[in-house]
Amino acid sequence: MAELRYPSQTRAGSQVAFDQGLRSYMLGIYNYMALGVAVTAVIVMATFTIPALGAIANVLAFPAMIGLIGMGFFAQRLLMGGSIGRAHMVYWIYVALWGIGIAPIVNRYLGIDPSMVMTAFLSASLTFGAMSLWGYTSKRDLTGMGVIAGMALMGLLVAALVNLVVAMFTGVGAGTMMVSMLISFGFVIFVSLITAWETQVIKEMYVESEGGEAVARKSIFGAFMLYGSFVSIFVNILQILGFMNSNE
């Protein structure tokens, strides 16, 4: 009987070790992400409380957003290749660019009603947490859903640019604001779906036999992915709250 139990006990021990390693890996990703959100909050608050920094952020916000798009295309190459030091540098540059890019938007609503910003942050946290948990626990392959959501986001980006051009030439009317609000709702929905898919992808990237450097690099890459999704959800929920408040 001992010979029959030994293999199953070994497999059980291996599974426990794998689960512990996976939890540690995912916790590292969420810790990196949370620290990135905290740094972004510090940058935004600095631009809000120091007028000179706010003026600089207003000038650099658009170039920062362009930089974020560029980094998104090359993220895997930048983070998964090269040294751990370079991966860290890329991640923190990404965090800083987000802080500069969203500062004018967040500062505007901080000036109107700080409670809107807090409500948006809490709502984004709950939405992100729920979708990431779904992605982590789901047994279903979410790849197809992620691809469709990504394509929908591209369409929404085009619609947002068209709406911006229309607003520049015709002014910001009720119709333009309604389209902007619908686009923001779409972003929240599709980025939330992408968050679930990203979490599943990040979980499946974990390989127990890999060394510490490989796991650390994947942790930074995972934080990069999830951080961008969280901030996108937050900004768009804040925009929705702003639109709703302006209509009251």
Side-chain angles (χ1 to χ4, degrees):
M1 293 297 293
E3 292 180 357
L4 292 174
R5 286 197 300 268
Y6 181 75
S8 63
Q9 290 171 350
T10 301
R11 286 194 296 271
S14 299
Q15 185 62 45
V16 169
F18 177 84
D19 291 342
Q20 290 176 342
L22 178 60
R23 282 194 294 270
S24 178
Y25 161 73
M26 295 299 296
L27 183 61
I29 290 172
Y30 290 122
N31 284 341
Y32 272 126
M33 178 198 150
L35 189 55
V37 172
V39 170
T40 299
V42 170
I43 292 173
V44 171
M45 290 307 300
T47 62
F48 180 69
T49 55
I50 304 174
L53 293 180
I56 293 173
N58 288 337
V59 174
L60 296 180
F62 183 73
M65 298 306 291
I66 297 298
L68 288 171
I69 294 173
M71 291 184 74
F73 281 112
F74 299 103
Q76 187 165 1
R77 183 182 302 176
L78 291 170
L79 293 165
M80 300 301 286
S83 66
I84 291 294
R86 188 178 82 173
H88 274 288
M89 181 183 69
V90 170
Y91 177 68
W92 295 114
I93 290 174
Y94 184 70
V95 166
L97 288 176
W98 264 112
I100 296 169
I102 69 173
I105 298 172
V106 179
N107 289 345
R108 176 188 170 200
Y109 291 112
L110 282 171
I112 297 172
D113 183 1
S115 67
M116 271 199 297
V117 178
M118 183 57 67
T119 300
F121 181 81
L122 293 176
S123 299
S125 298
L126 291 173
T127 302
F128 175 88
M131 298 306 291
S132 189
L133 179 63
W134 177 39
Y136 185 81
T137 58
S138 178
K139 303 300 182 183
R140 172 189 170 192
D141 184 359
L142 303 179
T143 302
M145 182 191 73
V147 171
I148 293 172
M151 293 172 62
L153 276 183
M154 293 300 294
L156 286 173
L157 281 172
V158 173
L161 289 173
V162 171
N163 194 51
L164 178 62
V165 172
V166 171
M168 289 173 60
F169 285 98
T170 65
V172 181
T176 304
M177 289 186 65
M178 179 59 67
V179 171
S180 297
M181 187 172 179
L182 291 174
I183 289 172
S184 292
F185 269 114
F187 265 95
V188 171
I189 292 170
F190 291 117
V191 175
S192 296
L193 294 175
I194 287 175
T195 297
W197 168 66
E198 286 175 337
T199 303
Q200 187 177 77
V201 169
I202 292 165
K203 177 184 176 182
E204 293 174 351
M205 286 170 58
Y206 175 73
V207 179
E208 185 180 14
S209 60
E210 287 184 327
E213 182 173 326
V215 173
R217 188 178 287 109
K218 288 181 179 180
S219 294
I220 298 171
F221 180 64
F224 183 100
M225 295 171 67
L226 293 179
Y227 166 88
S229 294
F230 174 82
V231 178
S232 296
I233 292 171
F234 162 69
V235 170
N236 282 283
I237 289 178
L238 182 58
Q239 293 275 55
I240 292 169
L241 293 175
F243 292 136
M244 294 172 65
N245 186 69
S246 67
N247 291 328
E248 290 179 356

